[in-house]
């Protein structure tokens, strides 16, 4: 069982015992106060009960006091309130109780004193003196009567005394008249009561008195609450005999007797009461003090009890509030009484219940938002489109990898910064930001435009779109910029268009070429010998021209056909350096041209590419370089191979550099498009085909050129699956783009 | 043969009214507690000159007509407070307390008999005499002096104590006697004071005699 419960039950038991003891003690105290016969029987018990009660209550109070002090030192919630309540209760109890106590003592003292009156006391004393005087007179009379009787008897012998004594008794109105010899020898006696045969013997006191003064008189009480006067006379000794004592008993009579008795009783009662006045006050004060002490102790403990009862819910509320402040929303307070504090506790519990539910809901919402945010981030991370979310103040809220790549800027580390300041060092980004700012200045927040950007010598065409993010009713949510790289799409569209053109050309132009050539040759054969020499020369030159131009046109159509043709990819593992050497060997040095210089990385691994296509690519590049440098002194072509790691993929790089005239900047962007050429001759499809074939391998083509310095075309090709790779993957015909 | 043995202290054999030590301690503590209050209430008579004295001078036991009969002579001297109470018409009861117990080695003593002789002493203001009233027999006598009255009370003659057949007289029985001022018979207010103060606590030591 919980120690606190055990302690509380023990305290309750002690309190119940104290209450029971108090009630029993007070009832018994009342009993002995009203009945002195029970005093000695009950007083020790009462003392024990009250002492035990006082000890129990004092113990409880001390324990509570120590506990309260300790709680206050430890700053336990509610301790100060409890201390104040206890103080107030104790003060409220002690003050009136002290007043009542003091006034009760005063009232008791004055009340008891009021029983006694000086006049009454004096009256009683006077009555007593009067009675004594009256009785003294009576006693003297009786003594005189006895003396007369003694005188009458003094000369008589014993026998005559006996005979004369009754008459003498009656004449003296004595109740009993006796004559004794010495102390106790009865000579004669006469009594008014016939049943009383033995007379009352003289006491030692009488004998002693008689020896001193010859007579004795006293007023003596009788058992029946009556008084009688006893007189005695010592007769002188005669003839050497023992002295005679005449003793007479006289009743006070019906008149004086009851009065004397009444006076005696009243005086006795009053004297006793007067004597007991102070002890009575003391005992009543003591009784009252005990009652007050026990009541006071009970009241003080009651103050602790009620203070605890009152402060317990408040204490509980404070503890609950602290717990809630610490975030412990599972805190619930025990329901108390059905009063205002109980209502407060219930309301607190309801409030915490709602708070807990709200927090759980908030956490759920937060988790949901977090999940959604993570989802959005995951989606953004995997989007090929670049996304930049801006706050309303144009600071970067978030961005994705694609945006970093497209704009060549680590935007994710710049979150929280102004977009304009981030774009200051990045021309590509600045171009976009300028457009954005212009549109914003014009009030356009929802727009879409196409932007051509060059980053790292790569020109991209981006479709840039902007829209406003939804916000709360108080503020707009900012902006989102979306970039889509449509370069490849546009290239594909252009390639598709050129492919279509090529097919049409092949179909529409190639067909009439053969009849044209055949017709020209027939004309030449038929009319060359029939016409004159000058005409013959003209005919020969004309038909020759027609045949040559038809051939040239056929070559052009074949080239177009080759461009449009897309045979299946045939990847094989081969040594790229070897292929480069084979191709380079086909272009020996002649006239003013230096031999092709090879700077090959001999550590290059085998590559898994379509050797035929790569061979064509190399041919096209070398031919393109040669044509660009045609007529140039000391022209030189350098082919270099090397390993590189790009886009997390192992790649080989092959660069073909010439020292030709170079390309103007405006042509560099379009040089890979079909039918674009800077040379006087050529179809303009060479580099377009190179780009197409390289991209079919998932590679990239880059061109760098400086006017009068030369041009360098660099191929970046993924090594692809080689010996250890799965052949199924090698031959599935699909191409993995390194830019993926 | 008559043997009189005086005890120097209250013996457990005959006194045993308070046997519980805890009760005694509590009682004593309670006495001290409330005694302090009494001191404040009345301290004028705390230090009295004459504390009084009750003493058994002689106690004789003899067999007479199949009865054990006691003759006792006691010296009684009242304290000042008792004298004051007597002078103020408070009747005092003087009690001869006889206890006959049988000694038991294995347990507390067995009480065979408990008897008392109650004599009331009072002062009559009207006749200015002291009245001695034997409450058990109703016999009463009056004396002009307190000395005479106390002397008369101090003499108990031919008091039939117990039938001989009730005693084995084998040396295991003890007759105990003391004379005391009965506080139980005091008026209520005096009883309470007498409980806390020793003014009325007049009692002789226990006088023991082993009948054989």
């Amino acid at each position: 069982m919980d120690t606190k419960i055990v302690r509380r039950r023990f305290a309750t038991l002690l309190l119940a015992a104290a209450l029971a003891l108090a009630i029993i003690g007070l009832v018994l105290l009342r009993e002995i106060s009203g009945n002195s016969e029970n005093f000695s029987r009950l007083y020790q018990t009462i003392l024990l009960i009250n002492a035990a009660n006082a000890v129990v209550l004092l113990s409880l109070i001390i324990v509570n006091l120590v506990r309260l002090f300790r709680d206050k030192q430890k700053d336990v919630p509610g301790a100060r309130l409890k201390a104040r309540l206890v103080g107030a209760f104790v003060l409220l109890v002690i003050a009136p109780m002290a007043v009542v106590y003091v006034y009760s003592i005063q009232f008791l003292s004055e009340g008891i004193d009021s029983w006694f009156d000086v006049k009454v006391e004096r009256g009683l004393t006077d009555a007593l003196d009067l009675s004594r005087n009256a009785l003294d007179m009576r006693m003297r009379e009786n003594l005189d009567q006895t003396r007369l009787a003694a005188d009458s008897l003094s000369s008589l012998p014993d026998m005559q005394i006996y005979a004369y004594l009754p008459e003498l008794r009656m004449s003296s109105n004595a109740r009993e008249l006796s004559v004794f010899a010495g102390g106790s020898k009865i000579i004669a006696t006469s009594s008014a009561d016939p049943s009383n045969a033995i007379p009352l013997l003289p006491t030692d006191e009488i004998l002693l008195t008689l020896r001193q003064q010859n007579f004795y008189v006293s007023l003596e009480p009788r058992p029946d609450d009556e008084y009688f006067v006893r007189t005695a006379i010592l007769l002188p000794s005669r003839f050497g005999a023992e002295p005679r004592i005449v003793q007479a008993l006289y009743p006070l009579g019906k008149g004086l007797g009851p009065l004397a008795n009444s006076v005696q009783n009243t005086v006795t009662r009053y004297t006793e009461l007067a004597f007991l006045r102070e002890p009575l006050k003391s005992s009543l004060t003591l009784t009252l003090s005990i009652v007050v002490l026990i009541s006071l102790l009970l009241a003080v403990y009651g103050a602790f009890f009620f203070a605890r009862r009152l402060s317990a819910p408040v204490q509980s509320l404070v503890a609950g509030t602290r717990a809630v402040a610490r975030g412990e929303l599972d805190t619930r307070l025990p329901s108390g009484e059905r009063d205002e504090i109980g209502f407060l506790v219930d309301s607190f519990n309801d409030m915490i219940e709602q708070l807990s539910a709200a927090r759980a809901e908030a956490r759920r919402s937060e988790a949901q938002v977090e999940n959604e945010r993570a989802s959005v981030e995951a989606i953004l991370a995997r989007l090929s489109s670049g996304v930049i979310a801006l706050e309303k103040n144009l600071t970067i809220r978030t961005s994705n990898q694609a945006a970093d790549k497209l704009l060549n800027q680590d935007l994710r580390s710049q979150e929280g910064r102004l977009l304009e300041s981030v774009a200051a060092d990045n021309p590509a980004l600045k171009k976009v930001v300028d457009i954005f700012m212009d549109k914003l200045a014009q009030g356009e927040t929802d727009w879409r435009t196409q932007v051509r950007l060059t980053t790292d010598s790569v020109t991209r065409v981006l479709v840039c779109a902007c829209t406003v993010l939804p916000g709360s009713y108080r503020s707009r949510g900012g902006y989102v910029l979306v970039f889509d790289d449509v370069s490849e799409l546009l290239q594909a569209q252009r390639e598709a268009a050129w492919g279509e053109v090529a097919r049409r050309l092949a179909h529409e132009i190639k067909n009439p070429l053969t009849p044209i050539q055949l017709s020209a040759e027939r004309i030449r054969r038929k009319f060359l010998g029939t016409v004159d020499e000058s005409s013959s020369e003209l005919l020969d030159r004309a038909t020759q021209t027609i045949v040559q131009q038809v051939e040239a046109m056929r070559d052009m159509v074949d080239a177009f056909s080759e461009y449009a043709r897309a045979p299946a990819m045939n990847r094989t593992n081969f040594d790229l350096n070897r292929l480069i050497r084979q191709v380079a060997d086909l272009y020996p040095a002649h006239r003013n041209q230096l031999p092709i210089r090879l700077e090959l990385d001999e550590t290059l691994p085998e590559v898994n590419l379509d050797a035929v296509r790569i061979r064509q690519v190399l041919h096209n590049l070398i031919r393109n370089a040669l044509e660009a440098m045609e007529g140039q002194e000391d022209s030189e072509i350098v082919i270099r191979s090397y390993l590189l790691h790009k886009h997390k993929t192992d790649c080989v790089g092959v660069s073909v550099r010439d020292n030709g005239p170079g390309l103007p900047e405006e042509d560099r962007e379009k040089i890979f498009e079909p039918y674009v050429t800077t040379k006087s001759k050529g179809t303009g499809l060479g580099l377009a085909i190179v780009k197409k074939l390289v991209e079919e391998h998932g590679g990239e083509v880059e061109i760098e050129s400086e006017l009068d310095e030369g041009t360098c075309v660099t191929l970046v090709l993924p090594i692809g699956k080689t010996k250890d790779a799965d052949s199924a993957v090698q031959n599935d015909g699909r191409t993995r783009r390194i830019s993926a | 043969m008559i043997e009189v043995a005086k005890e120097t202290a209250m013996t457990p054999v005959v006194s045993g009214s308070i046997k519980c030590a805890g009760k005694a301690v509590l009682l004593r503590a309670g006495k001290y507690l409330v005694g302090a209050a009494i001191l404040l209430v009345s301290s004028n008579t705390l230090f009295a000159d004459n504390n009084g004295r009750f003493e058994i001078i002689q106690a004789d036991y003899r067999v007479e007509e199949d009865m054990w009969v006691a003759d006792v002579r006691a010296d009684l001297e009242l304290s000042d407070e008792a004298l004051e109470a007597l002078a103020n018409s408070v009747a005092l009861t003087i009690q001869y307390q006889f206890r006959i117990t049988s000694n038991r080695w294995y347990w507390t003593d067995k009480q065979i008999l408990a008897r008392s002789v109650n004599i009331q002493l009072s002062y009559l203001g009207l006749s200015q005499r002291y009245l001695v009233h034997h409450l058990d027999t109703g016999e009463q006598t009056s004396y002009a002096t307190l000395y005479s009255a106390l002397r008369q009370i101090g003499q108990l003659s031919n008091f039939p104590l117990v039938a001989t057949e009730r005693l084995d007289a084998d040396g295991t029985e003890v007759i105990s006697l003391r004379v005391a001022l009965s506080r139980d018979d005091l008026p209520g207010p005096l009883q309470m004071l007498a409980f806390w103060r020793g003014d009325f606590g007049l009692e002789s030591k226990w006088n023991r005699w082993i009948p054989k």
Side-chain angles (χ1 to χ4, degrees), chain B residues 102-167:
Chain B
S102 175
N103 190 16
R104 291 188 294 196
W105 62 267
Y106 56 89
W107 197 243
T108 54
D109 294 348
K110 176 187 176 185
Q111 183 168 295
I112 299 171
L113 177 83
R115 287 195 65 181
S116 62
V117 178
N118 299 287
I119 305 167
Q120 191 183 65
L121 172 65
S122 58
Y123 177 70
L124 303 176
L126 184 66
S127 57
Q128 294 176 307
R129 292 181 70 81
Y130 293 91
L131 181 67
V132 176
H133 183 195
H134 290 259
L135 298 175
D136 306 313
T137 61
E139 181 188 346
Q140 67 177 34
T141 50
S142 66
Y143 299 89
T145 63
L146 178 62
Y147 172 79
S148 303
L150 288 175
R151 206 170 73 122
Q152 200 278 331
I153 293 170
Q155 291 179 344
L156 185 66
S157 304
N158 297 324
F159 177 69
L161 185 61
V162 63
T164 51
E165 62 184 15
R166 288 190 64 186
L167 295 184

Side-chain angles (χ1 to χ4, degrees), chain A residues 270-344:
Chain A
Y270 187 84
T271 311
E272 186 185 31
L273 274 177
F275 175 72
L276 293 176
R277 176 165 54 181
E278 290 306 320
L280 185 62
K281 282 184 192 174
S282 301
S283 67
L284 288 177
T285 303
L286 182 62
T287 306
L288 185 64
S289 301
I290 291 172
V291 171
V292 168
L293 178 69
I294 298 299
S295 303
L296 191 66
L297 291 174
L298 270 174
V300 171
Y301 182 75
F304 276 102
F305 180 76
F306 285 111
R308 189 167 59 238
R309 287 288 301 271
L310 282 176
S311 65
V314 179
Q315 219 167 344
S316 180
L317 271 173
V318 172
T321 308
R322 286 187 179 176
V324 170
R326 287 195 301 270
E328 297 169 11
L329 290 184
D330 53 346
T331 304
R332 295 292 180 276
L333 302 180
S335 290
E337 304 287 334
R338 304 313 308 167
D339 53 10
E340 285 76 5
I341 292 181
F343 175 74
L344 188 62

Side-chain angles (χ1 to χ4, degrees), chain A residues 542-575:
Chain A
T543 54
Q544 197 67 30
T545 301
I546 290 169
V547 169
Q548 284 175 353
Q549 290 303 316
V550 166
E551 284 293 331
M553 195 169 287
R554 182 175 285 119
D555 287 345
M556 187 184 72
V557 170
D558 285 344
F560 270 110
S561 179
E562 183 68 24
Y563 178 78
R565 189 172 58 90
M569 181 81 75
N570 183 21
R571 287 176 179 268
T572 54
N573 293 338
F574 62 91
D575 184 355

Side-chain angles (χ1 to χ4, degrees), chain A residues 434-445:
Chain A
D434 288 344
I435 294 169
F436 172 67
M437 297 305 287
D438 288 344
K439 297 277 188 188
L440 202 60
Q442 293 164 15
E444 288 185 46
T445 54

Side-chain angles (χ1 to χ4, degrees), chain A residues 398-459:
Chain A
T398 185
S399 63
N400 66 349
Q401 285 180 359
D404 291 359
K405 184 183 170 190
L406 291 175
L407 299 173
N408 195 30
Q409 175 78 42
D410 184 8
L411 290 167
R412 283 176 293 170
S413 63
Q414 308 289 334
E415 288 176 1
R417 288 188 62 196
L418 272 174
L419 183 62
E420 273 188 297
S421 63
V422 174
D425 301 329
N426 187 328
L429 181 58
K430 190 169 187 316
K431 194 170 180 179
V432 174
V433 171
D434 288 344
I435 294 169
F436 172 67
M437 297 305 287
D438 288 344
K439 297 277 188 188
L440 202 60
Q442 293 164 15
E444 288 185 46
T445 54
D446 207 344
W447 46 266
R448 186 181 187 86
T449 188
Q450 189 167 309
V451 186
R452 182 177 291 275
L453 301 177
T454 302
T455 55
D456 291 342
S457 305
V458 177
T459 301

Side-chain angles (χ1 to χ4, degrees), chain A residues 596-615:
Chain A
I596 295 174
R597 187 151 58 92
L598 298 179
E599 295 177 359
L600 303 178
D601 182 357
E602 296 302 332
T603 63
L604 215 62
E606 282 191 335
V607 294
N608 182 252
L609 301 168
D610 188 333
V612 176
R613 279 175 162 82
I614 298 302
R615 181 186 297 273

Side-chain angles (χ1 to χ4, degrees), chain A residues 368-379:
Chain A
Q368 198 173 349
V369 168
E370 190 62 30
N371 286 338
E372 286 179 3
R373 199 177 70 82
S375 303
V376 168
E377 275 191 1
I379 291 167

